[in-house]
Amino acid sequence: MGSTDTPLRGIIFDMDGVLCDSEAFICEAAREMFRRDYGATVPAGDFVPFVGAGEDRYIGGPAEVHGIPITMPAAKDRTYAIYLELIRGRLQPLAGAVDFIRRARSAGLALAVASAADRVKVEGNLAEIGVPASDFVAVITGSDVARKKPHPDGFLAAAAALALPGEQCLVVEDAINGCRAGVAAGATVLGLTTSFAAAALREAGASHVAADLDSVGAELQHQLGMA
């Protein structure tokens, strides 16, 4: 785990729960896909057990429960097409996210995104909230690594793309498995309490905790050269 004595030269952001919250929209898109293409009504609650398992399981799990004979990846591609329609003008950045990214860039920090989501969703979200993929040195997605969180592969790939060791990176996460992955990558971890309580994030290895990127503590901002 990084320490306050380690200079931080890069930041690796998770996406959902850190920069934006798209869960409601992907659920709406998947439900609409089932309605349009299969004439099936799938309750929103049926997707909950599959949150965080990747879009294949997020769509495939409820299909199995309801006996809907979907074809992959066609059903996922269709869901994403609907999703990109739904988020237009509706998906908003989480508090402080856009300003924090701009300030970090101004401070000379190298920036990356590492998300377990598929690239079409990641790039669509980033563009919609006003920080397109081109604003980052690298965008690592679920299809770029063999092992998902809590394995560190995504964060290690992002650090490598930034030409930095993990120890010189700050990982910003909102999930327990994400915090564990950041620690395993050797990074300092900032946990945002979007999805889990502060105590759970600290237990998972977060050195710093904040409600959102608008309320990051002065000590961490100083370590980043953003104070």
Side-chain angles (χ1 to χ4, degrees), residues 7-145:
L8 295 176
R9 298 171 55 205
I11 306 177
I12 305 170
F13 300 92
D14 179 37
M15 183 182 64
D16 274 306
V18 171
L19 302 180
C20 61
D21 185 0
S22 65
E23 185 178 325
F25 294 105
I26 195 66
C27 181
E28 184 180 350
R31 294 186 72 205
E32 185 65 10
M33 181 276 295
F34 282 122
R35 186 190 70 78
R36 291 185 194 178
D37 295 2
Y38 298 94
T41 299
V42 179
D46 288 1
F47 294 90
V48 173
F50 305 101
V51 171
E55 254 61 67
D56 284 37
R57 286 304 296 154
Y58 188 79
I59 297 165
E64 291 170 7
V65 170
H66 289 270
I68 303 169
I70 64 171
T71 301
M72 296 294 272
K76 183 171 70 170
D77 292 343
R78 175 72 166 149
T79 298
Y80 279 140
I82 296 169
Y83 173 82
L84 294 176
E85 295 172 9
L86 289 175
I87 64 171
R88 197 168 300 131
R90 297 173 66 196
L91 182 68
Q92 298 295 316
L94 289 175
V98 174
D99 181 63
F100 188 90
I101 288 168
R102 289 174 179 161
R103 289 174 53 226
R105 189 182 299 111
S106 295
L109 293 159
L111 307 181
V113 171
S115 169
D118 289 342
R119 183 165 294 275
V120 61
K121 182 184 179 189
V122 175
E123 294 191 348
N125 284 359
L126 294 175
E128 187 62 33
I129 66 172
V131 283
S134 57
D135 281 2
F136 300 89
V137 175
V139 174
I140 305 299
T141 67
S143 58
D144 295 323
V145 294

Side-chain angles (χ1 to χ4, degrees), residues 172-197:
V172 188
E173 261 288 351
D174 71 307
I176 289 171
N177 278 342
C179 289
R180 289 173 176 159
V183 171
T188 295
V189 177
L190 165 62
L192 302 185
T193 57
T194 317
S195 307
F196 294 91

